[in-house]
Amino acid sequence: MSSDATESVVARAGSLRALGQLDAAERLLRDALGSAPGDAALLTEWAALLQARGDLLQAEQAARSALQAAPDTLPPYLRLVAVLIVAGRAPEALTITSQLVGMAPDVAGVWAQHALASIDGRGRRLEQVRHAYHRALELEPGSPDWHTVAAVCERVHGNTGLARGFVAAGLERAPQHPALLALRAEYAPVAEQPGLLLDLLVTNPGDEESRELLDAAVTWERRAASAVALVPVVVAAVALAGPGLPGAVAATLAAAGGAAAVWAALRRYRRRRDRLPASYLATLRRRGSVVARWAAMVATGLVVLGVAVRWVAVGVDGPTWELASTWVLGTAVVAGLLSVAAPLPGDDRVLRAARARTGRVLWGVGWRFGSLRQELALWTGLGAGVLGLVVAATGSSDGAPAGLVTASAWPIALVTATAFVEAVRAGRFAPQRYLRSLGIRYRLLALAGLTIGLVAIGAVGLQPPGARGTSDREPAPVSTFTVPGAPAPGPPAPDSPSSGSPVPVPSFSVPSFSVPSFDVPTIPPQSRSVSVPTPG
C-alpha cells in the first residue's frame, strides 16, 4: 500500500472518528490493515479508534505496536501518551513527554500532551501545566485544538471562568469545532446543558460523547429533583417535638412546607424535561422510574395519614394514637427513601458507560456528575441524620411510650446508611475515588456515627418508660433509727407547720465549764503486781 493511499485512509478514518461514525472508520481501517498490517500510521489511527470506543487496553497495545514499527516518528508517541493519560497513568505519560519536549521543543502537540500529562489533580504542578499549554499556543496561535487543551487544564484545576474564556476564544477562530462545542456544553451550567447538547446531536447524531453527557445531565436533574422525596424525614422528626397539640401543629406545618417544596421542585423539573424531544425521552430507561413513582405516591399518602392520626391523638388524649402516627410517618420515610434509591442503578449505568469511554480521567463526564451525586448524598444524609439525632435524643424522655422514638429514629438511620452507600458508590465515578479526599472521609465517618447513634437511641426507645436511664449502682442506705413515741416518717400533714410555714427554732446557750487538771500517777518499775482493793 502506497504512502499516499495510507495518508488518505488515515485522514478519512480520522474524519469519520471525529464525526462519531466509529463503525465506518473501523471498516475502513480493517481493510487497510489487511493490506499493510505493520504500517505505523494505520496502527496509530487504529489506537485512536480503540480509545474512542473505550477499549484502552487494546488501544495501548496498538500504540506500542505503532511505536515499534516507527520508533523515530512522533505520532505513535503522542497517541501512546494520550491513551496513558485517559487510563489514569499520568506519571508514565509525563515520563515520556518530559523526554519529548527536549527532543522536539518546537512541536506544539508535544507541549499540549505535556500539559495534560502534568496534571496531578491537586494543583501542585499548575505553573508547569500553564507553561506547557501557553507554549503550545505560542507555537500555533491559530489552532483551536490547543485552546481545547488549555480549557481542559484550567477546568481540572477548578478555574471554570478561565476554561470558558479559552473555549470562547477557540470558537472565534473555529465556530464549528466539535471539541470546543462539546466543551462549551460541558462547562455550561447544568440547567443550560440539555439545550446545548441537543444542538450538537441535531448537527451530529453520531456524537457519542454529547449523547453520554446529555444522559448524565438528564439523570442528574432527576436525581436532584428526587431529593424532595425525603420530606417525610422532616415531618417524622418534627412530630417528636412535643406531645399533644405542639407536636401535631409542628407536624402539620412541616408537611405543608414540604408539600410546597415538592411542588416547586417537580414543577421546575417538568419544565426542563418538557424541552427534550419525545424521541430522546423514549430511549431512557424506565425500570426504576416506575417503582420510584409509586413509592412517592405511597409516601405522600402515608404523610397525610400520619398527620391526620396525630390530630386524632390530640382529641383522644392517649399515647396509642400518637404512637400509631409516629409509625405511619416512619413508614413514609422508608417509602420516600425507596423513591430515591430505585433509579440509582440506572444512573450508575449511565456514568459507567461514560467512564468506560473516557477512562479514569479527571475531566470526563463521570467525574462531574459522579461528584455531584456524591455531594448530594453526603449533605442530604448529614442533614437528615443531625435532625433525627437531635430530635430523637430530646424526645426520648422517660414519659414517652415504648417505641415512639424508635419509629422515627430507625427509618432515619436507614436514610443515613443509604446515603453512606450512595456516596461510596458515586465515588467510583469521581476524582475522590478510594476516599482520598479528607473532606469525603470525614463526612463519611460522620454519617457512620449518626447511623450508629440513631440505631442506639431507637433501641433505648423500645424499653418501657420506667426502665430508661436506670443504672446498676446500689441504692443509698436509708437510716432505720426511730425515736420512741415519735410518728413514723412520711409526708407532712396539710395542717402541719412543715407544709408551708417555717418552724421556729429555740435559741439556748450552753454553760461553760472547766476541766480540773490532774497528774497521772506512775508505777515504780520494781513493783510487778498491783492489788486493787475491793470496795466494801
Side-chain angles (χ1 to χ4, degrees):
M1 193 172 185
S2 63
S3 59
D4 293 339
T6 301
E7 292 178 1
S8 177
V9 171
V10 170
R12 187 178 176 188
S15 300
L16 292 173
R17 175 171 53 85
L19 293 174
Q21 302 178 18
L22 302 182
D23 293 336
E26 181 179 356
R27 289 192 297 268
L28 182 62
L29 287 174
R30 283 188 181 276
D31 293 340
L33 285 172
S35 303
D39 188 87
L42 292 175
L43 289 173
T44 302
E45 182 58 34
W46 181 250
L49 176 65
L50 293 174
Q51 178 184 345
R53 287 193 179 279
D55 192 350
L56 301 180
L57 180 60
Q58 295 296 328
E60 181 183 354
Q61 293 178 0
R64 293 190 182 278
S65 299
L67 188 60
Q68 292 177 359
D72 297 331
T73 57
L74 278 177
Y77 283 99
L78 296 180
R79 179 51 54 189
L80 177 60
V81 168
V83 173
L84 292 176
I85 291 173
V86 174
R89 296 157 61 184
E92 299 179 37
L94 182 60
T95 302
I96 298 175
T97 57
S98 298
Q99 298 176 359
L100 292 179
V101 293
M103 298 168 56
D106 296 331
V107 179
V110 173
W111 285 103
Q113 295 290 3
H114 186 59
L116 295 175
S118 300
I119 297 174
D120 64 348
R122 298 184 180 181
R124 293 176 296 186
R125 292 195 293 263
L126 178 57
E127 294 302 324
Q128 180 179 344
V129 171
R130 286 177 173 172
H131 170 73
Y133 75 68
H134 277 302
R135 181 60 179 158
L137 289 172
E138 291 173 0
L139 292 172
E140 296 182 8
S143 175
D145 294 334
W146 314 144
H147 287 81
T148 303
V149 172
V152 166
C153 293
E154 292 296 342
R155 180 63 182 84
V156 170
H157 292 90
N159 303 319
T160 306
L162 291 175
R164 291 173 180 170
F166 281 115
V167 170
L171 288 174
E172 291 179 358
R173 293 171 171 80
Q176 300 301 322
H177 193 272
L180 288 173
L181 290 174
L183 289 182
R184 184 182 65 175
E186 184 174 352
Y187 297 163
V190 177
E192 302 176 6
Q193 283 184 344
L196 295 173
L197 293 169
L198 284 174
D199 294 340
L200 291 175
L201 290 174
V202 168
T203 57
N204 183 13
D207 188 357
E208 293 295 332
E209 181 179 0
S210 298
R211 174 56 191 265
E212 291 170 358
L213 183 57
L214 180 60
D215 292 344
V218 172
T219 54
W220 159 248
E221 287 187 351
R222 184 212 55 77
R223 173 64 184 91
S226 68
V228 296
L230 296 180
V231 166
V233 172
V234 181
V235 181
V238 171
L240 295 177
L245 184 61
V249 172
T252 304
L253 293 178
V262 169
W263 177 82
L266 292 181
R267 183 170 178 269
R268 180 172 175 268
Y269 172 67
R270 288 291 182 183
R271 187 186 300 114
R272 293 183 177 180
R273 189 180 178 87
D274 291 342
R275 299 175 184 175
L276 302 174
S279 58
Y280 168 75
L281 294 176
T283 61
L284 297 178
R285 297 180 180 269
R286 298 181 178 273
R287 181 181 303 176
S289 61
V290 176
V291 178
R293 188 179 301 110
W294 280 102
M297 295 172 62
V298 171
T300 303
L302 289 175
V303 168
V304 174
L305 178 61
V307 174
V309 173
R310 190 58 185 264
W311 279 103
V312 173
V314 174
V316 175
D317 194 16
T320 303
W321 288 94
E322 185 177 351
L323 182 61
S325 171
T326 308
W327 279 105
V328 170
L329 292 176
T331 308
V333 172
V334 178
L337 179 62
L338 179 61
S339 177
V340 174
L344 291 182
D347 298 351
D348 288 344
R349 284 191 292 270
V350 170
L351 295 180
R352 190 180 300 112
R355 190 189 68 176
R357 185 186 59 77
T358 58
R360 295 182 179 274
V361 61
L362 292 178
W363 52 86
V365 174
W367 167 70
R368 182 172 189 181
F369 292 99
S371 297
L372 289 175
R373 272 188 54 189
Q374 190 177 54
E375 291 294 327
L376 180 63
L378 287 171
W379 287 116
T380 53
L382 288 174
V386 170
L387 177 63
L389 189 65
V390 171
V391 177
T394 56
S396 59
S397 59
D398 292 341
L404 182 67
V405 176
T406 308
S408 295
W410 281 0
I412 297 177
L414 184 62
V415 172
T416 57
T418 305
F420 181 93
V421 174
E422 183 186 1
V424 173
R425 288 173 60 87
R428 297 177 300 168
F429 315 106
Q432 295 89 3
R433 62 179 59 91
Y434 311 126
L435 309 180
R436 291 174 180 172
S437 174
L438 291 179
I440 302 297
R441 293 178 185 176
Y442 291 154
R443 282 181 286 175
L444 285 174
L445 289 176
L447 274 178
L450 290 172
T451 303
I452 296 173
L454 287 168
V455 171
I457 291 178
V460 173
L462 288 175
Q463 300 178 0
R468 300 173 196 165
T470 58
S471 62
D472 297 334
R473 292 181 302 177
E474 293 292 336
V478 180
S479 175
T480 58
F481 175 77
T482 57
V483 179
D495 55 349
S496 63
S498 60
S499 61
S501 58
V503 179
V505 179
S507 62
F508 59 92
S509 60
V510 179
S512 61
F513 59 92
S514 60
V515 179
S517 60
F518 62 95
D519 296 331
V520 179
T522 58
I523 300 175
Q526 63 273 13
S527 61
R528 298 182 178 270
S529 63
V530 178
S531 61
V532 179
T534 303

